[in-house]
Amino acid sequence: MKTTEERLIDLESRLTFQEDLIDTLNTTVFRQQQQIDELELLCTRLAQRLREVADQAALRPAIVDERPPHY
């Protein structure tokens, strides 16, 4: 059977480990959120660019039955 001092040392060790783990997890979550924010911004920019390209394509007249220059 453990003495009170041994139990206290064991609890302090566990607490130290848990604090370190929480710090590591917080850092990981923070970095993941940064990546999510960057990806959301990239998706927004890509969607805007796609709309711009689609709008430009809609403004161009369709080339129908145009002969190639070598004919």
Side-chain angles (χ1 to χ4, degrees):
M1 185 152 183
K2 291 184 177 182
T3 65
T4 304
E5 184 175 343
E6 290 172 331
R7 290 175 55 204
L8 181 60
I9 291 171
D10 185 47
L11 287 173
E12 288 174 340
S13 296
R14 288 178 184 207
L15 178 61
T16 301
F17 174 76
Q18 287 178 354
E19 287 175 340
D20 183 57
L21 180 60
I22 289 171
D23 287 342
T24 301
L25 291 172
N26 281 335
T27 301
T28 301
V29 169
F30 176 76
R31 288 181 184 155
Q32 287 177 340
Q33 187 60 52
Q34 283 181 317
Q35 289 176 334
I36 289 169
D37 293 343
E38 290 172 6
L39 289 170
E40 285 178 341
L41 180 61
L42 178 62
C43 284
T44 300
R45 288 179 179 170
L46 287 172
Q48 178 61 35
R49 182 67 181 127
L50 184 59
R51 282 190 293 273
E52 290 170 2
V53 169
D55 290 345
Q56 289 173 0
L59 295 176
R60 292 186 192 147
I63 301 173
V64 179
D65 297 326
E66 184 176 306
R67 287 168 134 195
H70 62 276
Y71 279 102

